[in-house]
Protein backbone atom coordinates (compact mmCIF):
# COMPACT_ATOMS: atom_id res chain seq x y z
CA UNK A 1 0.00 0.00 0.00
CA UNK A 2 1.40 3.42 -0.96
CA UNK A 3 2.05 5.90 1.82
CA UNK A 4 -0.36 8.84 1.80
CA UNK A 5 1.16 12.32 1.47
CA UNK A 6 -0.65 15.31 2.99
CA UNK A 7 0.33 18.91 2.20
CA UNK A 8 -0.78 21.50 4.72
CA UNK A 9 -0.62 25.26 4.32
CA UNK A 10 0.72 26.55 7.63
CA UNK A 11 -0.78 29.56 9.49
CA UNK A 12 2.51 31.43 9.39
CA UNK A 13 4.92 32.37 6.63
CA UNK A 14 8.50 31.50 6.00
CA UNK A 15 11.40 33.84 5.27
CA UNK A 16 10.54 36.91 3.22
CA UNK A 17 6.81 36.30 3.74
CA UNK A 18 6.72 33.19 1.57
CA UNK A 19 3.92 30.75 2.33
CA UNK A 20 5.01 27.74 4.36
CA UNK A 21 3.77 24.19 3.83
CA UNK A 22 4.11 21.00 5.85
CA UNK A 23 4.26 17.66 4.06
CA UNK A 24 3.39 14.65 6.23
CA UNK A 25 1.70 11.28 6.13
CA UNK A 26 -1.34 12.82 7.84
CA UNK A 27 -0.42 11.77 11.36
CA UNK A 28 -0.09 14.41 14.12
CA UNK A 29 3.39 15.89 14.36
CA UNK A 30 4.73 18.57 16.72
CA UNK A 31 4.60 21.12 13.87
CA UNK A 32 1.04 20.19 12.83
CA UNK A 33 -0.12 20.40 16.47
CA UNK A 34 1.56 23.82 16.79
CA UNK A 35 -0.20 24.91 13.59
CA UNK A 36 -3.53 23.74 15.05
CA UNK A 37 -2.95 25.84 18.19
CA UNK A 38 -1.95 28.91 16.16
CA UNK A 39 -5.03 28.56 13.92
CA UNK A 40 -7.23 28.33 17.02
CA UNK A 41 -5.62 31.46 18.48
CA UNK A 42 -6.02 33.33 15.18
CA UNK A 43 -9.73 32.47 15.05
CA UNK A 44 -10.19 33.57 18.67
CA UNK A 45 -8.36 36.83 17.94
CA UNK A 46 -10.53 37.47 14.88
CA UNK A 47 -13.66 36.92 17.00
CA UNK A 48 -12.49 39.47 19.58
CA UNK A 49 -11.56 42.03 16.91
CA UNK A 50 -14.95 41.71 15.20
CA UNK A 51 -16.72 42.24 18.52
CA UNK A 52 -14.57 45.30 19.26
CA UNK A 53 -15.09 46.70 15.76
CA UNK A 54 -18.89 46.44 15.72
CA UNK A 55 -19.55 49.45 17.96
CA UNK A 56 -16.67 51.36 16.36
CA UNK A 57 -18.42 51.39 12.99
CA UNK A 58 -22.00 51.71 14.23
CA UNK A 59 -24.29 54.67 13.56
CA UNK A 60 -23.49 56.31 16.91
CA UNK A 61 -19.70 55.96 16.57
CA UNK A 62 -17.63 59.13 16.30
CA UNK A 63 -14.19 57.87 15.35
CA UNK A 64 -11.47 59.84 13.68
CA UNK A 65 -10.13 58.80 10.29
CA UNK A 66 -7.01 57.48 12.04
CA UNK A 67 -9.05 55.32 14.41
CA UNK A 68 -11.08 53.92 11.53
CA UNK A 69 -7.89 53.13 9.60
CA UNK A 70 -6.53 51.37 12.69
CA UNK A 71 -9.58 49.13 13.17
CA UNK A 72 -9.77 48.48 9.41
CA UNK A 73 -6.13 47.35 9.54
CA UNK A 74 -6.84 44.93 12.39
CA UNK A 75 -9.90 43.57 10.57
CA UNK A 76 -7.85 43.03 7.40
CA UNK A 77 -5.12 41.23 9.37
CA UNK A 78 -7.68 38.95 11.02
CA UNK A 79 -9.57 38.29 7.79
CA UNK A 80 -6.29 37.40 6.07
CA UNK A 81 -5.50 34.88 8.85
CA UNK A 82 -8.98 33.33 8.71
CA UNK A 83 -8.92 33.09 4.89
CA UNK A 84 -5.54 31.33 5.13
CA UNK A 85 -7.03 28.87 7.64
CA UNK A 86 -10.03 28.25 5.36
CA UNK A 87 -7.75 27.65 2.37
CA UNK A 88 -5.55 25.28 4.38
CA UNK A 89 -8.51 23.27 5.66
CA UNK A 90 -10.17 23.25 2.25
CA UNK A 91 -7.04 21.78 0.68
CA UNK A 92 -7.18 18.92 3.18
CA UNK A 93 -10.81 17.94 2.47
CA UNK A 94 -11.17 14.70 0.56
CA UNK A 95 -12.46 14.94 -3.00
CA UNK A 96 -16.05 13.88 -3.65
CA UNK A 97 -16.31 10.47 -5.22
CA UNK A 98 -18.22 10.28 -8.49
CA UNK A 99 -21.07 7.77 -8.52
Amino acid sequence: MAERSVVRLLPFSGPEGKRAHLITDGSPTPLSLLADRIESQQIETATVIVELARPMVGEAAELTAGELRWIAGRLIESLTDVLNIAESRGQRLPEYEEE
Side-chain angles (χ1 to χ4, degrees):
M1 182 174 205
E3 191 173 303
R4 183 173 81 124
S5 181
V6 177
V7 178
R8 178 181 183 165
L9 177 62
L10 294 172
F12 41 84
S13 45
E16 300 167 6
K18 292 184 180 179
R19 297 178 111 186
H21 293 82
L22 173 64
I23 301 171
T24 69
D25 63 1
S27 61
T29 65
L31 187 54
S32 67
L33 295 173
L34 172 64
D36 290 343
R37 284 192 304 275
I38 291 171
E39 285 180 353
S40 186
Q41 290 170 346
Q42 288 173 328
I43 291 169
E44 287 176 29
T45 298
T47 301
V48 169
I49 290 171
V50 166
E51 291 306 311
L52 291 172
R54 283 186 202 281
M56 295 176 84
V57 297
E59 290 294 322
E62 295 182 12
L63 280 81
T64 66
E67 291 167 328
L68 283 172
R69 276 192 299 277
W70 182 85
I71 195 61
R74 303 304 70 77
L75 288 166
I76 290 168
E77 289 168 359
S78 292
L79 181 57
T80 300
D81 289 342
V82 172
L83 287 172
N84 189 55
I85 293 166
E87 181 181 350
S88 176
R89 292 181 181 181
Q91 290 172 352
R92 290 179 275 148
L93 289 175
E95 296 290 324
Y96 288 114
E97 292 185 22
E98 297 288 327
E99 288 189 33

